[in-house]
């Protein structure tokens, strides 16, 4: 029976049937029952889904969140219920937002997977029967026709002009002509095993019969599914950075609070008072809004991405794109339109250019750069009319969009005829097909017969070498002249030139035949050569700009495709992906060791004729060298590398279920350019988290410095526990979260990607935290000492310190909107959340100083207008110094 290692393409049809213990009449019902028990159902197995409750709990497995929960419990036990409730609300908000996003994304993927599984036509007990595809077993004989999806991996035993669209599996942009004879090549890649059919691909033309050789997880599709399910995800750069930062801050906060509490006790303060104060200080040091800021920033980014046609499956995916420095992209359907388009036409010893792309019949004809009316070019119109009649594809417009039914190559001819003003349906009805010789892989051409105004004609279309060899004359300037060797060489040279430009070339010829003559070998001899069509699957027009933006942003695009090398290189050059780098084929890659691949992986710009295993090796090599790799694609062949890469980006319209399931992000419009939007959002989110951290940690450091100075200088403690918690609530809540939604800064896509090893807080950020923190500490302790020296009471001096610290940190919040640009260079009103947070903070602070019950609770008193002016002036020094620092760094950067 079957062996998963059997090289089915190397066996003849008869040997395949014998190996499978089957026959051309198919299996009996009893044999099917036995084989279902042996091989299982023809289904792709999926991993067990994570229960919703576990998905929810996973959001809270984080050291920082655990410390915050413990702090909330302690705060509640010692009577600080307001702070306890605030911390718990922030923690729950972060967890629930993360849970909802992942749960809803998972449901979206489920809905995509629930698309109805195709049926299959199989021979059972010698009778053609339509059955669910899941009931197929090895040895079943299946019958295939145009439009059918291949239900299982099969070996062809009969093929009548059979063409299969394998773009989803192999990346081949054109339908593959299938044959039934064996292929004597043990090392033939999947794309070259043209006597095999693969589950998930579809019939675009012809009909055939095949015997099922593999079902379910043993199919190529199933093997890819296994690769996906066994590939482990690694933490994103942001997750890794925040985990490490959270641990360090948590440990530092506990140690600092304990040490300062001990110092306070040694200085004579009550144990309980210092314990409460220590807990308050620890909570103040810990950035408890960090999970919320991260979650809200990314969630809002996700919402913006949905409007820009991207569905995020996992929240950290947006941030990862912001760190990406390499994008590995499939070609067919991702960089290109997956719609064959005629670019050049040779006719009457002239080469015409045709503009436009895809199946929309919008475009112009030109000769030597000058536009022209094709109706005035008689030989050109004759060629297009011939291509219209010798054509089985239908061009139609549905819901405002042009589509074809049939072969993409023939579709491109129909579209070009439409561009020239030919009414296709009317012309076909006027000159209907009398007879035909269908296309076959052996003859490499098709011919049709029509009664035209001047008599009966046969029109032949096929490979250039076949048509040229069959021609004895050529039409030049509306005259049929001898097809001389000189002219023949000219045509061949034009065909070769088109091929080097990655154009697929078709030739057409015609012959006037007898009025009662029908299809026979004679109608394909002694033809008049009419012309050549050069066509290509064109790049998406928006991709060029997207690639330019990626390059400005320091991101290297790499093409990885299953298509032919010549085609891949030509498209890569046209898009600007290939700029002097290398291109290698799957066969070359197969002979390389992993170490040899590591040497060239970063300098290679195009990988062609690549299998799924090759893609995994390429992505792994790039990731092992420290790159943050994004992989875009829409096919089944992309799925393992989508899962393996730091972030996988699948296509939502033409993407397969398997690729969507493997991806972190889905582009709902299949637009490669949307990835640039994702990168911008990712960078903006990461910068906002940095702004939040610099703002909060510098403010906390300033507070700590002032407290330490006061303790060791034998001064009164500048803040009591409830004041610490109040400031913490304002700064960690209102202002920090407002900074997390700061709009993207201008020029964010002109910067190089962040180096992962530098962490979320690099040297520049740490310098700012230290500098601002020290300055806030100096400013606030200075005004505290001034107040005490000026004869103010301890309560009044503490109130002045309390208000000045709040004002200084509010000014710092304005500073941290940008680390480079002056506030005067920015739109002050662009972050309304921050403005609202500042106003609310000022009102809250004012009320704490004015309302008797709050004055008693917070141990404050009313201050004079003059004191408020002094506090504003002193606190503004924080803003002024940071503006000076930014001006100096801008000048240094431009020097």
């Amino acid at each position: 029976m079957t062996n998963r290692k059997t090289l089915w393409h190397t066996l003849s049809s008869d040997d395949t049937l014998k190996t499978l213990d089957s026959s051309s009449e198919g299996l009996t019902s009893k044999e099917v029952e036995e084989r279902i028990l042996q091989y299982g159902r023809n289904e792709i197995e999926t991993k067990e889904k994570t229960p919703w409750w576990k998905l929810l709990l996973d959001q809270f497995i984080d050291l920082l969140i655990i410390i915050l929960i413990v702090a909330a419990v302690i705060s509640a036990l010692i009577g600080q219920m307001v702070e306890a409730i605030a911390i718990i609300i922030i923690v729950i908000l972060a967890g629930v937002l993360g849970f909802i996003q992942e749960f809803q994304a998972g449901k979206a993927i489920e809905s995509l997977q629930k698309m109805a599984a195709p049926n299959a036509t199989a021979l059972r007990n010698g009778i053609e029967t339509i059955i669910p595809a899941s009931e197929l077993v090895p040895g079943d004989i299946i019958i295939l026709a145009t439009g059918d999806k291949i239900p299982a991996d099969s070996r062809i035993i009969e093929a009548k002009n059979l063409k299969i669209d394998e773009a989803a599996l192999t990346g081949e942009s054109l339908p593959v002509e299938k044959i039934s004879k064996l292929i004597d090549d043990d090392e033939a890649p999947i794309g070259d095993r043209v006597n095999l059919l693969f589950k998930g691909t579809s019939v675009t033309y012809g009909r055939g019969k095949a015997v099922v050789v593999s079902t379910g997880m043993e199919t190529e599709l199933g093997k890819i599914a296994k690769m996906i399910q066994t590939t482990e995800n690694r933490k994103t750069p942001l997750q890794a950075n925040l985990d490490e930062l959270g641990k360090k801050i948590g440990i530092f906060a506990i140690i600092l609070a304990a040490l300062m509490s001990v110092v306070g006790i040694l200085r004579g303060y009550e144990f309980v008072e210092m314990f409460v104060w220590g807990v308050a200080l620890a909570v103040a040091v810990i950035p408890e809004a960090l999970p919320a800021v991260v979650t809200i920033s990314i969630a809002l980014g996700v919402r913006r991405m949905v409007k820009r046609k991207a569905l995020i499956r996992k929240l950290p995916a947006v941030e990862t794109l912001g760190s990406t420095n390499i994008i590995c992209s499939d070609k067919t359907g991702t960089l290109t339109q997956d719609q064959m388009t005629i670019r050049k036409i040779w006719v009457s010893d002239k080469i015409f250019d045709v503009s436009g792309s895809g199946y929309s019949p919008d475009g112009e004809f030109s000769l030597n750069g000058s536009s022209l009316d094709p109706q005035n070019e008689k030989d050109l119109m004759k060629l297009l009319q011939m291509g219209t009649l010798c054509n089985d594809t239908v061009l139609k417009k549905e819901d405002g969009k042009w589509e074809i039914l049939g072969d993409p190559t023939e579709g491109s001819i129909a579209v070009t005829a439409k561009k020239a003003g030919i009414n296709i349906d009317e012309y076909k009805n006027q000159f209907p097909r009398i007879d035909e010789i269908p296309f076959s892989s052996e003859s490499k051409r098709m011919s049709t017969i029509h009664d035209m105004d001047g008599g009966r004609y046969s029109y032949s279309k096929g490979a250039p070498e076949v048509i040229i060899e069959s021609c004895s004359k050529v039409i030049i300037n509306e005259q049929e002249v001898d097809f001389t060797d000189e002219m023949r060489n000219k045509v061949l040279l034009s065909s070769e030139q088109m091929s080097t430009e990655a154009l697929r070339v078709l030739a057409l010829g015609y012959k006037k035949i007898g009025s009662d003559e029908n299809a026979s070998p004679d109608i394909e001899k002694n033809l008049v050569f009419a012309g050549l069509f050069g066509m290509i699957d064109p790049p998406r027009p928006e991709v060029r700009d997207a690639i330019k933006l990626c390059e400005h942003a320091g991101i290297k695009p790499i093409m990885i495709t299953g298509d032919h090398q010549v085609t891949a290189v030509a498209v890569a050059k046209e898009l600007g992906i290939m700029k002097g780098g290398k291109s290698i084929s799957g066969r070359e890659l197969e002979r390389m060791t992993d170490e040899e691949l590591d040497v060239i992986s970063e300098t290679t710009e195009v990988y062609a004729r690549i299998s799924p295993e090759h893609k995994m090796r390429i992505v792994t090599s790039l990731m092992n060298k420290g790159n943050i790799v994004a992989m875009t694609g829409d096919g089944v062949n992309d799925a393992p590398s989508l899962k393996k890469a730091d972030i996988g980006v699948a296509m939502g319209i033409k993407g397969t279920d398997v690729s969507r399931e493997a991806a972190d992000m889905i582009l709902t419009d299949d637009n490669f350019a949307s990835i640039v939007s994702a990168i911008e959002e990712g960078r903006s989110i990461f910068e906002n988290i940095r702004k939040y951290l610099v703002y909060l940690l510098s403010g906390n450091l300033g507070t700590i410095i002032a407290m330490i100075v006061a303790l060791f200088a034998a001064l009164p403690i500048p803040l009591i526990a409830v004041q610490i918690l109040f400031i913490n609530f304002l700064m960690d809540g209102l202002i920090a979260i407002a900074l997390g939604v700061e709009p993207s800064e201008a020029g964010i896509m002109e910067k190089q990607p962040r180096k992962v090893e530098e962490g979320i807080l690099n040297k520049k950020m740490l310098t700012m935290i230290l500098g601002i923190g020290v300055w806030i500490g100096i400013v606030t302790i200075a005004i505290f000492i001034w107040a005490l020296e000026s004869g103010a009471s301890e309560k009044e001096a503490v109130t002045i310190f309390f208000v000045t610290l709040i004002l200084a940190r509010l000014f710092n919040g304005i500073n941290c909107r940008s680390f480079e640009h002056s506030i005067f260079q920015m739109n002050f009103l662009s972050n309304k959340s921050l403005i609202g947070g500042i106003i609310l903070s000022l009102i809250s602070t004012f009320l704490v100083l004015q309302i008797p019950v709050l004055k008693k609770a917070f141990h404050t008193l009313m201050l004079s207008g003059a004191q408020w002016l002094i506090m504003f002036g002193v606190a503004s020094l924080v803003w002024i110094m940071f503006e000076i620092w930014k001006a100096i760094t801008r000048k240094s950067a431009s020097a």
Side-chain angles (χ1 to χ4, degrees):
M1 293 296 289
T2 65
N3 182 335
R4 62 177 298 178
K5 293 183 180 179
T6 302
L7 298 175
W8 298 107
H9 65 284
T10 64
L11 299 182
S12 67
S13 300
D14 291 340
D15 288 342
T16 302
L17 290 171
K18 288 177 184 176
T19 304
L20 291 165
D21 196 14
S22 182
S23 71
S24 58
E25 297 299 312
L27 301 175
T28 64
S29 299
K30 184 179 179 182
E31 286 174 322
V32 170
E33 291 175 8
E34 292 172 351
R35 296 188 188 201
I36 284 182
L37 291 175
Q38 181 180 355
Y39 299 110
R41 299 180 70 82
N42 180 32
E43 296 172 335
I44 301 298
E45 299 168 7
T46 56
K47 288 197 297 186
E48 187 176 345
K49 289 193 300 182
T50 304
W52 69 266
W53 56 267
K54 189 174 185 302
L55 199 62
L56 180 61
L57 287 179
D58 286 345
Q59 309 300 318
F60 300 96
I61 301 175
D62 179 86
L63 178 63
L64 190 58
I65 287 182
I66 292 170
I67 291 174
L68 290 174
I69 292 172
V70 172
V73 172
I74 294 174
S75 297
L77 292 175
I78 62 179
Q80 304 295 330
M81 293 304 299
V82 174
E83 182 63 17
I85 292 170
I87 295 171
I88 290 298
I89 287 173
I90 289 174
V91 168
I92 291 174
L93 177 63
V96 170
L97 277 174
F99 165 74
I100 290 173
Q101 184 65 28
E102 290 200 25
F103 184 75
Q104 287 184 340
K107 296 292 283 184
I109 297 300
E110 280 181 31
S111 66
L112 292 172
Q113 287 182 316
K114 286 179 180 176
M115 293 179 178
N119 291 328
T121 302
L123 287 178
R124 291 283 173 84
N125 302 308
I127 301 171
E128 282 192 22
T129 309
I130 297 176
I131 61 171
S134 60
E135 295 180 7
L136 287 173
V137 295
D140 257 323
I141 302 296
I142 54 175
I143 310 298
L144 300 164
T146 301
D148 288 348
K149 263 198 169 183
I150 307 302
D153 286 6
S154 309
R155 169 68 166 87
I156 298 168
I157 53 180
E158 288 181 19
K160 299 292 184 183
N161 307 316
L162 187 62
K163 293 185 181 180
I164 306 294
D165 179 2
E166 294 185 347
L169 183 67
T170 66
E172 176 65 60
S173 56
L174 293 173
V176 180
E177 298 172 17
K178 293 293 183 175
I179 61 175
S180 59
K181 64 182 181 181
L182 66 84
I183 297 170
D184 189 15
D185 182 358
D186 292 355
E187 298 180 354
I190 289 176
D192 293 340
R193 299 177 187 181
V194 292
N195 57 4
L196 296 184
L197 304 173
F198 301 104
K199 181 179 176 70
T201 59
S202 56
V203 181
T204 62
Y205 191 80
R207 54 193 174 85
K209 183 186 289 187
V211 57
V212 173
V213 296
S214 301
T215 57
M217 298 301 285
E218 296 304 317
T219 62
E220 290 298 324
L221 191 67
K223 292 172 187 176
I224 290 171
K226 284 181 187 175
M227 291 170 66
I228 296 167
Q229 293 171 10
T230 55
T231 301
E232 294 296 326
N233 287 324
R234 70 179 186 180
K235 285 191 174 183
T236 70
L238 180 62
Q239 287 173 319
N241 276 293
L242 293 182
D243 284 352
E244 185 64 24
L245 182 64
K247 290 175 186 176
K248 290 178 180 178
I249 292 176
I251 294 169
F252 173 76
I254 293 169
I255 294 172
L256 179 69
L259 287 174
M260 294 191 69
S261 296
V262 169
V263 172
I265 293 169
L266 293 176
R267 285 198 53 215
Y269 290 97
E270 291 289 330
F271 174 81
V272 174
E273 180 186 359
M274 291 312 298
F275 179 77
V276 172
W277 186 83
V279 170
L281 185 62
V283 172
V285 172
I286 295 173
E288 63 258 40
L290 179 59
V293 169
V294 172
T295 304
I296 290 171
S297 296
I298 297 180
L300 290 175
V302 166
R303 192 168 68 182
R304 291 192 295 269
M305 287 298 296
V306 169
K307 293 178 181 178
R308 299 169 85 169
K309 309 299 182 184
L311 169 67
I312 307 299
R313 289 196 63 211
K314 296 183 179 180
L315 291 179
V318 181
E319 175 273 330
T320 311
L321 270 173
S323 304
T324 298
N325 67 315
I326 289 180
I327 299 176
C328 296
S329 177
D330 185 36
K331 179 184 72 68
T332 306
T334 307
L335 296 171
T336 65
Q337 299 179 40
D338 200 14
Q339 297 180 344
M340 293 300 290
T341 303
I342 289 176
R343 289 275 183 87
K344 293 182 181 295
I345 301 174
W346 186 100
V347 65
S348 194
D349 202 17
K350 304 171 187 174
I351 295 181
F352 295 88
D353 294 302
V354 186
S355 65
S357 62
Y359 296 142
S360 173
D362 297 318
E364 295 182 347
F365 292 77
S366 61
L367 180 64
N368 299 323
S370 300
S371 297
L372 54 84
D373 183 353
Q375 297 284 341
N376 296 329
E377 298 288 336
K378 301 302 181 184
D379 292 342
L380 174 61
M381 290 303 296
K382 184 177 182 70
L383 179 69
L384 292 171
Q385 289 163 355
M386 289 169 52
T388 299
L389 296 176
C390 189
N391 197 319
D392 291 321
T393 297
V394 175
L395 175 66
K396 63 176 184 176
K397 191 174 186 180
E398 285 192 359
D399 301 325
K401 183 179 179 182
W402 288 95
E403 297 176 345
I404 65 160
L405 294 176
D407 183 78
T409 300
E410 291 190 331
S412 69
I413 298 174
V415 171
T416 307
K418 188 83 171 173
K419 290 177 182 178
I422 296 174
N423 187 319
I424 296 173
D425 293 336
E426 184 180 301
Y427 197 72
K428 283 187 172 182
N429 289 333
Q430 184 180 356
F431 305 110
R433 187 177 301 181
I434 304 299
D435 204 352
E436 67 178 295
I437 300 177
F439 177 89
S440 70
S441 56
E442 289 77 19
S443 68
K444 294 185 178 180
R445 65 178 156 196
M446 70 173 288
S447 299
T448 59
I449 297 175
H450 304 265
D451 283 332
M452 309 299 291
D453 290 336
R456 180 167 289 192
Y457 283 82
S458 70
Y459 298 133
S460 296
K461 175 179 89 254
E465 64 274 14
V466 173
I467 299 298
I468 291 171
E469 182 66 28
S470 302
C471 292
S472 58
K473 291 185 178 294
V474 59
I475 187 165
I476 302 290
N477 298 325
E478 302 178 52
Q479 299 294 319
E480 296 178 4
V481 299
D482 289 338
F483 202 10
T484 63
D485 290 342
E486 181 184 356
M487 182 57 69
R488 195 180 299 269
N489 289 334
K490 271 189 177 184
V491 174
L492 286 170
L493 188 62
S494 295
S495 176
E496 290 170 6
Q497 181 59 39
M498 289 184 187
S499 296
T500 60
E501 296 174 19
L503 299 179
R504 184 183 183 188
V505 186
L506 278 183
L508 281 87
Y510 69 92
K511 179 180 182 180
K512 186 173 183 180
I513 60 177
S515 59
D516 58 352
E517 192 173 351
N518 290 318
S520 70
D522 287 340
I523 69 169
E524 295 182 333
K525 298 175 182 178
N526 296 314
L527 304 178
V528 179
F529 186 77
L532 300 170
F533 288 123
M535 61 197 72
I536 194 171
D537 178 11
R540 291 176 177 268
E542 65 277 3
V543 169
R544 293 182 187 86
D545 291 336
I547 287 172
K548 285 180 182 177
L549 278 175
C550 287
E551 290 178 349
H552 285 309
I555 298 163
K556 180 181 176 66
I558 295 175
M559 180 190 290
I560 304 179
T561 178
D563 212 341
H564 294 282
Q565 194 166 2
V566 172
T567 305
V569 168
V571 172
K573 285 181 178 178
E574 184 171 348
L575 288 173
I577 291 176
M578 193 163 188
K579 294 184 174 180
K582 299 177 182 177
S583 72
I584 67 170
S585 67
R587 285 185 181 271
E588 292 174 284
L589 182 59
E590 191 69 41
R591 293 192 290 268
M592 290 183 183
T593 64
D594 289 342
E595 291 73 22
E596 290 172 332
L597 176 58
D598 287 343
V599 173
I600 58 97
S601 61
E602 290 181 306
T603 57
T604 301
E605 295 169 333
V606 174
Y607 295 89
R609 261 349 224 175
I610 295 299
S611 71
E613 291 82 2
H614 295 153
K615 289 191 177 189
M616 286 284 284
R617 286 185 64 198
I618 295 164
V619 171
T620 301
S621 174
L622 292 168
M623 290 171 67
N624 288 343
K625 298 186 78 172
N627 297 293
I628 300 299
V629 181
M631 171 70 190
T632 71
D634 60 355
V636 175
N637 61 326
D638 298 320
S641 44
L642 287 175
K643 184 75 178 289
K644 175 69 177 177
D646 292 291
I647 178 164
V649 186
M651 304 297 137
I653 298 173
K654 293 186 178 179
T656 58
D657 291 347
V658 178
S659 67
R660 295 188 191 109
E661 179 63 33
D664 300 287
M665 183 173 83
I666 299 171
L667 302 181
T668 58
D669 61 350
D670 285 11
N671 192 336
F672 179 88
S674 297
I675 205 168
V676 179
S677 303
I679 290 170
E680 183 178 352
E681 292 293 346
R683 290 189 175 190
S684 177
I685 287 166
F686 195 86
E687 283 300 306
N688 285 350
I689 294 170
R690 271 185 164 170
K691 291 171 185 176
Y692 156 77
L693 284 171
V694 170
Y695 160 74
L696 193 65
L697 295 180
S698 60
N700 288 353
L701 179 61
T703 305
I704 292 166
I705 288 172
M707 303 284 275
I708 290 174
V709 170
L711 271 176
F712 284 95
L715 297 172
I717 295 179
L719 291 176
I720 61 174
V722 69
Q723 291 172 338
I724 293 174
L725 297 174
F726 176 78
I727 293 173
N728 187 54
F729 180 76
L730 290 181
M731 302 305 143
D732 268 28
L734 298 174
I735 308 303
I737 291 175
L739 282 174
V741 296
E742 179 72 25
S744 294
E745 287 188 58
I748 197 166
M749 290 299 288
E750 298 295 322
K751 299 177 181 178
Q752 294 297 301
R754 176 184 61 88
K755 293 181 180 179
V756 179
E757 60 269 18
E758 76 179 18
I760 192 167
L761 296 178
N762 58 16
K763 186 177 179 181
K764 180 182 177 181
M765 302 299 115
L766 292 172
T767 301
M768 281 192 285
I769 290 169
L770 180 62
I772 298 169
V774 169
W775 188 240
I776 290 175
I778 290 172
V779 166
T780 52
I781 199 64
I783 200 169
F784 183 58
I785 294 172
W786 169 82
L788 291 172
E789 295 280 333
S790 301
S793 67
E794 182 178 322
K795 188 174 185 179
E796 185 179 7
V798 166
T799 303
I800 290 172
F801 179 91
F802 170 66
V803 175
T804 304
L805 180 60
I806 290 173
L807 293 175
R809 295 187 68 171
L810 290 177
F811 275 116
N812 191 32
I814 296 172
N815 280 337
C816 289
R817 288 189 63 192
S818 174
F819 297 141
E820 297 172 3
H821 302 110
S822 167
I823 190 65
F824 301 109
Q825 296 174 317
M826 303 175 68
N827 181 356
F828 189 77
L829 300 177
S830 62
N831 191 340
K832 293 181 175 59
S833 298
L834 181 61
I835 295 171
I838 290 172
I839 293 171
L840 195 55
S841 296
L842 290 172
I843 292 172
S844 301
T845 303
F846 186 76
L847 293 176
V848 164
L849 271 61
Q850 299 297 320
I851 298 176
V853 66
L854 294 178
K855 286 166 60 179
K856 184 177 181 181
F858 285 91
H859 295 78
T860 59
L861 47 77
M862 286 193 297
L863 299 173
S864 67
Q867 287 173 317
W868 273 96
L869 284 174
I870 292 170
M871 290 185 297
F872 262 104
V874 171
S876 69
L877 292 174
V878 173
W879 166 62
I880 293 169
M881 286 298 291
F882 199 22
E883 282 289 321
I884 293 171
W885 184 86
K886 285 194 282 188
I888 292 171
T889 54
R890 283 198 304 273
K891 189 173 182 180
S892 299
S894 62

